[in-house]
């Protein structure tokens, strides 16, 4: 019997059934994809890191090396399994030419290594340890991805010729978020180019017991060993490898939640209309003694069928798109060992979608209990509550035309019905505005202030040379006499030791200099101004668990000095762990200088950048816009793409839902339409009434959606942004596009959908609905 | 006497092919200005269809309908709607009212279309009509909060709002008890006495007996017609007897 009822019912409402099924399929597909991606990503990362034998602890260091002392430390520490020091030869991008492309404009720290002997291997694209012959060059995978070069190309490194023999996966530096990239050459070739760059050391440890990593870190720091550079641990490598694909998975999950919500809306208004239609029958069934659960089953059966069909279709579709989305993971990390589980987990995800739908339908059907059999049989319709709408009467109306009045009145009288459409429109406005605002925010000039970068035009980095201070002084002398430079600031980064709460010592990099010239945004507090003040990046404040006003003991020139935290800021540079202070210090090793300059005429930036770049070959001179573009250019462009896609999706949802909703309303209101036509209302009057209804709901929806976008949406976007290391976050809104263009597009779509959706009203024959 | 409605050889059919059936099979009628007419017949005889056709509410397959000197077949949807709103009034068996609106708003609804400026005047007129039909105190009520008879009075008020030339009533007393039905008929008589033509579709001899002319329909054709004197208010039983005799004669 159920089969017959389902078949009849579906053939009567093909369009809405199909739409619901498509949404269920889309939701199931996305959930399944997200699950498959999660399983594959974690598996692929594990496989990559296991095969490459990624170090558990790595200290980058530039400057003097005492290998004996390190070896002694490694031998004495019982947790050390293996230890090695690798060389990483930093080379200016301009000296690296791959095929026809030079890496001069590249902001990555490109460097050369030879294959390690013990662990931390560089792998080829089949996951095997690469054996390099003389004259061969293996290039980091991301240069294959962005088509910089291809296998067989000629490469010229500081004048020496190589052949690109292949691409390599680097379990440490694969991610675009990692600022360094390792190229692989043979030992002999390495020896030849060794003097052409600056040397950096990778001090690496594999531990016997990874869970004791924290204790090992403390031991390393308190032993006072080489630490002039960032420290990275195994879990952080894992996170860096996971982050970009992880974000994609996050977005897919978010979208799937939205799609499920829309599927729920479709189900809700189909069901409500259906219950309305069947009101009398439901009353009769109750009257003749059927249980509510029996009646529910009839309705549930249909949705179980739709949901099952949708879920199966979605699962099948996820297999079609799986390959496309896995491509990036496969390229960067290789195959996953546990991809067979992925399908099983995908099925579990889809089952969850199915159960959620059944639970939702069952929830909507709860209202059967409230249907009074007697009332249903007598009136044949639910006695809708019109509370609140009664005061709004036609005789008292002087404000609106009669059609507009009737439209608004209907919405007010049947709030529950329109709530469904409102919810969809709120969601649409939300998904239209949030990505747009996000894009606007991160592409706006002031956003970099949130990211720990001041508002300057040109940035000069000087790193790891013996006479670094003299070089900086030379640049400053030139700048002083350069009339094109209106302002500049020198920031010197040095490493100090900070005492943590448990008494152990931890390395902290502090940027010293005048931070008032190019101020950044502080999420709490302000820039350091006095000698005994320090500002911490959000990540550092978190790690040291310090708040504004608290005190950090620093060891400076062997003496302990207490600094007060004056402010906390967001930072994406240098792994997000930085600090700023103004005290003068002549002691510790200078790690690097950053010289920031503002030009009196910003349009000269290209010219000045190349002028300083040519003149001071030891420094890396970058145009700040380029610096920003290369650091998050790809993020900005993908957010832009996502934002455009979101607009398209939102408009599609708006059109589709409005269309279906209006078709349903017309079907439901056949009688009222016939009455109005009989009493002299024209088809255009009827259309005007329906347009008023949808525009009224739309306006409320846009207002609510915009409010939500600027509150909840800002919070959500803030959460996304905080993964880059930024902590406070406010939308920079483009009012023209967010408050004018987007609403206009929505109004346009709703108008078109309403016109099409209500065109059926013109075909309604008066006698068929009024005749006794 | 000027003819307000002329229907000439009206054919209206339903169904296709073998199942095609003429509900109106070449019907010709004329109704004068200010006339009080009833159409009688068994169910399925085509009497309601005739009313919908004559009022331009339903299209016909062939034949010509002239209302107030205008050929309805030459008019578009909008012009037909305008005529219905300004020159015709309708009262149906079921109270065809909008659930969302109160009684007063339902009454003024058609007159308010594109006429917001005159809202005060329109409301005033509606109140006067409600007073006249005895439902003055119900204006703020919802349509579910009043009786069927009261709703039908409200329906008549709505039909009278535009000072129509003709009021069409399709079994207007069909859902009422006989006391309410007679009260409603009193109102129709009063309206007719003021010069408005009234065309009622009914199968109730007692209702038809209060009109001046009765047309009898069967199988889509007019099979007979009879004229009566103006109803005085007292001779209803005698009139009913004449009507029922005629009905028997026509096999209705």
């Amino acid at each position: 019997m159920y089969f017959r009822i389902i078949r009849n019912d579906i053939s009567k409402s093909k369009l809405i059934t199909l739409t619901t099924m498509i949404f269920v399929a889309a939701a199931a597909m996305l959930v399944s994809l997200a699950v498959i991606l999660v399983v594959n990503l974690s598996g692929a990362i594990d496989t990559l890191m296991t095969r490459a034998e990624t170090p558990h602890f790595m200290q980058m260091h530039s400057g003097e090396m005492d290998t004996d002392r390190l070896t002694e430390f490694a031998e004495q520490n019982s947790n050390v399994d293996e230890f090695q020091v690798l060389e990483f030869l930093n080379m200016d991008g301009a000296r690296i030419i791959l095929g026809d492309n030079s890496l001069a404009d590249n902001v990555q720290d490109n460097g050369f290594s030879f294959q390690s002997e013990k662990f931390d291997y560089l792998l080829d694209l089949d996951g095997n340890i690469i054996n390099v012959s003389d004259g061969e060059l293996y290039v980091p995978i991301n240069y294959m991805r962005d088509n910089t070069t291809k296998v067989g190309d000629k490469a010229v490194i500081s004048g020496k010729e190589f052949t690109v023999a292949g691409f390599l996966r680097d379990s440490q530096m694969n991610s675009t978020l990692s600022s360094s990239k390792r190229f692989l050459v043979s030992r002999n070739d390495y020896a030849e180019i060794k003097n052409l760059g600056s040397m950096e050391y990778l001090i690496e440890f594999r531990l016997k017991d990874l869970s004791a990593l924290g204790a090992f870190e403390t031991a390393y720091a308190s032993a006072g060993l080489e630490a002039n550079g960032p420290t990275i641990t195994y879990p952080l490598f894992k996170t860096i490898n996971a982050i970009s694909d992880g974000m994609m998975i996050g977005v897919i999950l978010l979208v799937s939640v939205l799609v499920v919500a829309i599927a729920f809306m479709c189900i809700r208004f189909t069901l409500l209309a259906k219950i309305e239609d069947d009101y009398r029958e439901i009353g009769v069934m109750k009257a003749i003694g059927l249980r509510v659960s029996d009646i529910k089953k009839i309705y549930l059966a249909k949705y179980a069928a739709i949901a099952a069909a949708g879920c199966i279709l979605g699962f099948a579709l996820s297999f079609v798109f799986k390959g496309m989305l896995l491509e990036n993971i496969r390229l960067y990390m290789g195959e996953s060992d546990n991809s067979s589980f992925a399908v099983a987990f995908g099925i579990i995800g889809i089952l969850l979608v199915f159960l959620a739908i059944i639970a939702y339908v069952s929830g909507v059907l709860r209202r059967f209990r409230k249907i009074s059999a007697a009332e249903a049989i007598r009136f044949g319709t639910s006695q809708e509550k019109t509370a609140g709408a009664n005061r709004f009467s036609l005789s008292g109306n002087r404000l609106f035309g009669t059609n507009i009045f009737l439209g608004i009145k209907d919405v007010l009288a049947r709030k529950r019905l329109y709530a469904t459409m409102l919810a969809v429109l709120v969601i649409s406005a939300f998904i239209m505005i949030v990505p747009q605002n996000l894009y606007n925010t991160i592409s706006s000039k002031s956003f970099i202030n949130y990211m720990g970068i001041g508002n300057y035009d040109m940035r000069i980095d000087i790193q790891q040379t013996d006479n670094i201070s003299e070089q900086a002084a030379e640049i400053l002398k030139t700048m002083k006499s350069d009339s094109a430079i209106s302002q500049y600031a020198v920031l010197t980064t040095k490493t100090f030791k900070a005492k943590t709460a448990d008494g152990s010592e931890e390395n902290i990099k502090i940027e010293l200099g005048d931070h008032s010239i190019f101020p950044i945004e502080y999420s709490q507090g302000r820039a350091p101004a006095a000698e005994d003040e320090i500002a911490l990046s959000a990540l550092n404040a978190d790690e040291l668990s310090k708040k504004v006003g608290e005190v950090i003991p620093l060891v400076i020139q062997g003496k302990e000095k207490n600094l007060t935290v004056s402010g906390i800021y967001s930072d994406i540079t240098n792994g997000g762990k930085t600090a700023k202070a103004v005290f003068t210090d002549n002691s510790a090793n200078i790690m690097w200088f950053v010289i920031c300059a503002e030009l009196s005429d910003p349009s000269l930036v290209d010219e000045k950048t190349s002028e300083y770049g040519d003149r001071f070959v030891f420094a890396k001179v970058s145009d700040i816009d380029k610096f920003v573009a290369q650091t998050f250019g790809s993020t900005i462009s993908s957010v832009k793409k996502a934002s455009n896609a979101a607009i398209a999706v939102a408009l599609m949802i708006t059109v589709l839902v409005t269309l279906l909703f209006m078709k349903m309303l017309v079907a439901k209101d056949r009688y009222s339409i016939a009455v109005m036509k009989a009493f002299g209302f024209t088809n255009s009057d009827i259309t005007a009434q329906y347009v008023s209804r949808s525009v009224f709901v739309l306006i409320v929806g846009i207002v609510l959606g915009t409010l939500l976008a600027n509150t909840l949406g800002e919070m959500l976007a803030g959460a996304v942004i905080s993964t880059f290391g930024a902590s406070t976050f406010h939308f920079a809104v483009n009012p023209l596009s967010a408050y004018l263009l987007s609403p206009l597009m929505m109004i346009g779509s709703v108008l078109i959908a309403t016109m099409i959706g209500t065109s059926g009203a013109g075909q309604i024959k008066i006698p068929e609905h009024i005749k006794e | 006497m000027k003819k307000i409605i002329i229907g000439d050889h009206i054919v209206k059919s339903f169904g296709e092919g073998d199942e095609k059936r003429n509900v109106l099979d070449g019907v010709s009628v004329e109704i004068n200005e200010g006339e009080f007419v009833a159409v009688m017949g068994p169910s399925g005889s085509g009497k309601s269809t005739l009313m919908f056709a004559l009022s331009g509410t339903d299209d016909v397959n062939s034949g010509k309908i002239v209302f107030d000197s205008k050929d309805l077949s030459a008019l578009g949807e909008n012009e037909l709607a305008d005529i219905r709103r300004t020159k015709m009034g309708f009262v149906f068996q079921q109270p065809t009212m909008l659930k969302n609106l109160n009684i007063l708003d339902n009454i003024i609804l058609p007159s308010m279309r594109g006429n917001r400026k005159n809202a005060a005047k329109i409301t005033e007129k509606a109140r006067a009509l409600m007073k006249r039909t005895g439902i003055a105190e119900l204006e703020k009520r919802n349509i579910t909060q009043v009786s069927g008879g009261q709703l039908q009075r409200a329906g008549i008020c709505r039909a009278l709002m535009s000072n129509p030339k003709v009021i069409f009533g399709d079994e207007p007393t069909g859902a009422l008890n006989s006391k309410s039905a007679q009260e409603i008929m009193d109102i129709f008589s009063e309206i007719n006495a003021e010069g408005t033509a009234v065309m009622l579709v009914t199968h109730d001899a007692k209702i038809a007996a209060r009109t001046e002319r009765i047309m009898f329909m069967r199988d889509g054709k007019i099979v007979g017609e009879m004229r009566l004197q103006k109803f005085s208010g007292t001779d209803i039983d005698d009139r009913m007897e004449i009507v029922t005799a005629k009905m028997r004669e026509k096999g209705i």
Side-chain angles (χ1 to χ4, degrees):
Chain A
M1 179 184 75
Y2 286 148
F3 177 72
R4 203 157 33 87
I5 292 174
I6 294 169
R7 200 187 49 199
N8 287 342
D9 197 33
I10 288 177
S11 69
K12 260 190 274 170
S13 52
K14 287 189 205 83
L15 184 65
I16 184 77
T17 305
L18 188 70
T19 311
T20 310
M21 202 178 82
I22 289 173
F23 276 112
V24 172
M29 178 187 82
L30 291 171
V31 168
S32 161
L33 276 177
V35 172
I36 291 174
L37 286 176
V38 167
V39 175
N40 272 299
L41 177 63
S42 70
I45 290 174
D46 278 344
T47 310
L48 173 69
M49 291 179 77
T50 309
R51 288 207 193 157
E53 297 187 38
T54 309
H56 292 151
F57 176 91
M58 185 193 72
Q59 174 68 55
M60 288 182 96
H61 176 77
S62 51
E64 294 290 303
M65 270 291 284
D66 188 342
T67 320
D68 296 343
R69 201 162 56 121
L70 276 168
T71 315
E72 196 186 333
F73 168 80
E75 277 166 2
Q76 278 173 5
N77 193 308
S78 58
N79 193 18
V80 174
D81 185 26
E82 276 182 296
F83 155 74
Q84 68 181 4
V85 177
L86 292 184
E87 292 183 3
F88 178 68
L89 184 68
N90 245 310
M91 185 107 39
D92 190 84
R95 296 179 168 204
I96 305 173
I97 296 160
L98 302 173
D100 303 325
N101 301 311
S102 148
L103 296 185
D105 277 343
N106 194 281
V107 288
Q108 301 271 9
D109 293 327
N110 295 297
F112 294 79
S113 283
F114 48 86
Q115 186 64 278
S116 158
E117 278 164 9
K118 292 180 176 168
F119 59 95
D120 188 16
Y121 302 114
L122 299 174
L123 307 177
D124 65 14
L125 299 189
D126 298 321
N128 301 318
I129 298 166
I130 302 171
N131 248 324
V132 207
S133 313
D134 291 347
E136 282 184 351
L137 175 72
Y138 280 81
V139 179
I141 186 91
N142 61 310
Y143 294 118
M144 169 177 166
R145 187 72 210 249
D146 64 14
N147 291 324
T148 305
T149 184
K150 56 186 187 303
V151 174
D153 274 356
K154 212 158 236 30
V156 182
I157 313 297
S158 287
K160 182 173 165 48
E161 277 198 14
F162 288 89
T163 309
V164 176
F167 293 93
L168 64 87
R169 291 199 187 111
D170 183 338
S171 66
Q172 286 189 22
M173 304 176 183
N174 239 355
S175 164
T176 47
L177 292 174
S178 149
S179 62
S180 304
K181 290 286 168 280
R182 275 197 281 191
F183 287 72
L184 183 64
V185 293
S186 71
R187 247 170 209 280
N188 297 333
D189 290 335
Y190 181 82
E192 272 184 54
I193 57 171
K194 194 169 174 175
N195 296 322
L196 303 172
S198 61
M199 183 64 71
E200 207 169 335
Y201 298 96
L202 311 178
I203 304 163
E204 302 180 335
F205 295 88
R206 291 275 293 183
L207 305 180
K208 289 174 186 148
D209 176 13
L210 187 56
S211 60
L213 180 65
F216 180 82
E217 274 187 88
T218 316
Y220 187 91
S222 37
L225 297 166
E226 279 72 0
N228 189 13
T231 313
I232 304 168
T233 57
Y234 196 80
L236 190 60
F237 283 132
K238 224 172 177 167
T239 312
I240 292 174
N241 278 326
I243 208 155
S244 56
D245 288 297
M247 272 173 61
M248 177 175 79
I249 293 171
V251 170
I252 291 178
L253 273 177
L254 205 72
V255 173
S256 63
V257 169
L258 282 175
V259 173
V260 170
I262 290 162
F264 280 2
M265 297 297 155
C266 285
I267 290 172
R268 189 184 149 84
F269 63 54
T270 336
L271 256 183
L272 290 187
K274 184 81 184 122
I275 292 174
E276 194 68 29
D277 277 355
D278 298 352
Y279 210 79
R280 199 184 292 270
E281 282 85 339
I282 296 166
V284 171
M285 284 192 272
K286 278 183 103 168
I288 61 174
L290 284 181
R291 289 180 173 199
V292 170
S293 58
D294 297 329
I295 306 172
K296 267 170 91 169
K297 256 186 224 156
I298 298 171
Y299 289 82
L300 258 178
K302 175 186 164 188
Y303 285 92
I306 294 177
C311 282
I312 292 168
L313 182 67
F315 190 57
L317 281 176
S318 74
F319 273 81
V320 178
F321 292 110
K322 185 176 82 163
M324 224 162 74
L325 293 174
L326 280 174
E327 188 189 14
N328 201 47
I329 297 177
R330 285 204 180 111
L331 181 64
Y332 275 84
M333 275 160 275
E335 285 298 335
S336 156
D337 282 347
N338 50 6
S339 55
S340 49
F341 300 127
V343 177
F345 281 105
I347 291 174
I348 293 174
I350 278 179
L351 274 178
L352 284 179
V353 172
F354 179 79
L355 290 177
I357 291 168
I358 298 301
Y360 183 76
V361 172
S362 174
V364 174
L365 292 178
R366 265 208 310 251
R367 66 183 58 213
F368 279 172
R369 262 187 251 146
K370 285 192 237 136
I371 296 178
S372 134
E375 195 180 81
I377 294 169
R378 207 163 74 215
F379 298 108
T381 55
S382 60
Q383 300 304 301
E384 282 166 302
K385 290 195 188 74
T386 53
N390 280 339
R391 264 169 285 137
F392 191 50
S393 75
L394 182 59
S395 53
N397 163 54
R398 300 287 182 276
L399 200 56
F400 304 108
T402 304
N403 289 325
I404 297 176
F405 170 86
L406 288 173
I408 296 177
K409 172 96 184 176
D410 191 68
V411 175
L412 293 177
R414 297 195 285 182
K415 292 186 197 78
R416 288 181 73 116
L417 185 67
Y418 288 94
T420 315
M421 185 183 168
L422 179 68
V424 174
L425 292 176
V426 168
I427 293 175
S428 288
F430 186 85
I431 58 179
M432 208 162 159
I433 294 173
V434 172
Q436 204 177 102
N437 282 357
L438 180 62
Y439 166 68
N440 227 313
T441 308
I442 63 175
S443 62
S444 80
K445 183 86 183 157
S446 62
F447 183 66
I448 55 171
N449 296 352
Y450 286 109
M451 292 302 204
I453 302 169
N455 247 332
Y456 42 82
D457 300 311
M458 187 168 82
R459 172 187 169 117
I460 303 178
D461 290 87
I462 321 170
Q463 280 183 315
Q464 300 141 350
T465 48
D466 297 333
N467 47 354
I468 185 164
S469 298
E470 290 77 20
Q471 291 177 336
E474 196 186 332
I475 295 178
L476 288 178
K477 205 174 134 203
T478 316
M479 281 197 167
K480 245 178 232 169
S481 55
D482 189 339
S483 60
I485 302 226
S486 58
Q487 269 198 105
Y488 63 87
V490 192
L491 302 169
T492 318
T493 298
K494 299 183 178 183
T495 310
F496 297 92
K497 288 205 183 316
K499 285 238 158 108
T500 58
D502 60 8
S504 60
E505 288 183 350
E506 209 164 287
N507 286 328
I508 178 169
K509 286 190 288 271
I510 303 179
E511 198 172 40
L512 298 170
D514 187 344
H515 300 289
S516 64
I517 301 174
F518 299 112
I520 58 164
E521 292 286 337
Y522 282 78
S523 55
Q524 292 164 45
R526 51 172 177 77
E531 287 264 313
D532 61 347
E533 286 181 334
I534 185 167
L536 298 177
S537 71
L539 286 182
N540 245 339
D542 234 29
E543 192 169 287
L544 298 165
S545 46
K546 293 286 175 197
K547 293 192 186 70
V548 172
E550 292 185 344
V551 170
I552 302 181
L554 271 195
V555 182
I556 301 169
Q557 289 174 296
K559 272 181 271 170
E560 209 169 286
K561 184 180 175 185
N562 283 334
L563 295 181
T564 311
V565 178
S566 69
I568 292 171
Y569 57 92
S570 312
D571 197 355
I572 53 148
T573 58
N574 300 305
K577 285 193 203 172
T578 59
K580 295 180 193 293
V582 294
F583 60 79
T584 41
D585 171 85
N586 304 314
S587 64
N589 258 344
I590 293 171
M591 293 179 71
W592 64 75
F593 274 103
V594 176
I595 301 170
C596 320
E598 185 184 47
L599 304 180
S600 42
D601 178 4
S603 63
L604 293 177
V605 68
D606 276 348
E607 197 181 304
K608 281 288 156 190
T609 310
S610 51
E611 180 190 325
Y612 276 78
D614 291 346
R615 185 151 169 195
F616 307 106
V617 282
F618 51 82
K620 190 155 96 184
V621 183
S622 19
D623 163 351
I624 193 67
D625 286 340
K626 255 187 208 145
F627 179 80
V628 171
Q630 288 200 14
T631 320
F632 8 65
S634 67
T635 310
I636 290 176
S637 82
S638 33
V639 171
K640 187 181 171 71
K641 266 185 224 151
S643 140
N644 288 340
I647 290 174
V649 168
L651 289 179
M652 252 167 56
I653 292 171
T654 305
V655 168
L656 189 73
V657 170
T658 310
L659 191 71
L660 290 173
F661 189 75
M662 285 297 146
K663 272 190 173 303
M664 207 138 45
L665 265 189
V666 168
K668 206 164 141 64
D669 294 350
R670 298 177 293 257
Y671 176 73
S672 315
I673 293 170
V675 168
M676 277 188 284
K677 284 173 85 169
F679 289 98
F681 280 81
T682 59
N683 287 339
S684 40
D685 288 328
I686 307 285
T687 306
Q689 289 171 21
Y690 279 84
V691 166
S692 312
R693 294 178 189 193
S694 48
V695 169
F696 181 62
V697 177
L698 176 66
I699 288 171
V700 177
I702 289 177
V703 169
L704 285 181
T706 309
L707 284 178
L708 266 183
N710 282 321
T711 51
L712 181 70
E714 198 170 72
M715 263 162 57
L716 274 177
V720 173
I721 293 295
S722 70
T723 59
F724 297 108
S727 60
T728 44
F729 175 77
H730 289 291
F731 271 148
V733 178
N734 177 354
L736 186 72
S737 87
Y739 302 142
L740 187 72
L741 238 49
S742 306
L744 277 181
M745 281 193 282
M746 282 190 81
I747 290 174
S749 330
V750 164
L751 281 183
I752 293 169
T754 307
M755 305 277 194
I756 300 173
T758 55
S759 60
Q763 267 91 61
I764 289 180
K765 294 262 178 262
I766 304 166
E768 282 168 28
H769 297 284
I770 290 185
K771 235 183 201 170
E772 272 54 71
Chain B
M1 191 66 89
K2 196 187 163 199
K3 307 247 180 296
I4 184 74
I5 303 174
I6 303 163
D8 191 16
H9 289 93
I10 305 166
V11 176
K12 168 85 182 170
S13 56
F14 289 112
E16 299 273 311
D18 290 347
E19 294 183 2
K20 192 165 167 175
R21 194 170 63 87
N22 284 347
V23 183
L24 295 179
D25 197 1
V27 176
S28 298
V29 285
E30 290 183 348
I31 293 171
N32 293 328
E33 274 187 342
E35 208 180 357
F36 199 175
V37 187
V39 182
M40 292 196 76
S43 31
S45 59
K47 52 190 193 301
S48 290
T49 309
L50 176 64
M51 188 203 87
F52 283 114
L54 293 179
S55 58
T57 315
D58 203 358
D59 45 7
V60 294
N61 297 68
S62 66
K64 189 175 173 185
I65 298 155
V66 177
F67 182 92
D68 197 18
S69 314
K70 278 196 178 119
D71 183 354
L72 294 188
S73 62
L75 301 180
E77 280 277 340
N78 290 347
E79 287 133 323
L80 286 173
D82 289 344
I83 289 185
R84 281 202 296 276
R85 200 173 58 252
T86 54
K87 295 189 173 168
M88 299 177 185
F90 292 89
V91 182
F92 298 102
Q93 178 175 0
Q94 298 298 331
T96 44
M97 301 230 166
L98 303 189
K99 272 201 287 184
N100 292 335
L101 301 179
N102 64 27
I103 300 283
L104 176 64
D105 283 358
N106 261 299
I107 292 171
I108 64 173
L109 178 63
S111 318
M112 286 288 283
R113 185 201 168 274
N115 217 355
R116 177 163 41 113
K117 285 196 298 279
N118 298 322
K121 248 193 210 158
I122 291 169
T123 308
E124 199 183 317
K125 179 166 187 191
R127 289 201 171 113
L129 284 168
M130 288 173 82
K131 199 171 168 199
R132 181 175 157 190
T133 51
I135 53 168
E137 72 285 5
L138 302 180
E139 64 171 62
K140 295 272 182 227
R141 296 274 187 92
N142 254 322
I143 62 163
T144 48
Q145 297 169 325
V146 299
S147 73
Q150 288 168 325
L151 269 185
Q152 216 50 318
R153 286 164 200 249
I156 294 172
C157 293
R158 176 174 58 185
L160 288 174
M161 283 299 290
S162 59
N163 297 324
K165 303 237 176 197
V166 181
I167 289 194
F168 295 97
D170 189 7
E171 305 273 14
T173 59
L176 303 178
N177 62 37
S178 75
K179 183 168 175 279
S180 300
Q182 289 311 316
E183 284 167 8
I184 293 295
M185 283 312 294
D186 289 344
I187 299 172
F188 276 121
S189 298
E190 229 178 288
I191 296 163
N192 177 247
E194 285 160 16
T196 308
V198 177
M199 176 184 167
L200 298 182
V201 169
T202 183
H203 59 266
D204 184 345
K206 202 172 177 183
I207 297 300
R210 294 185 59 151
T211 64
E212 296 163 15
R213 179 155 68 105
I214 304 174
M215 287 177 265
F216 296 99
M217 280 191 80
R218 208 177 56 209
D219 300 333
K221 289 194 165 82
I222 292 187
V223 292
E225 196 179 303
M226 69 180 292
R227 287 184 183 273
L228 293 162
Q229 292 297 313
K230 223 176 201 16
F231 177 52
S232 65
T234 52
D235 54 347
I236 188 70
D237 291 340
D238 299 340
R239 293 168 77 102
M240 247 183 88
E241 221 164 273
I242 304 169
V243 174
T244 35
K246 186 80 175 174
M247 282 169 75
R248 265 196 300 274
E249 179 197 323
K250 296 292 169 196
I252 291 164

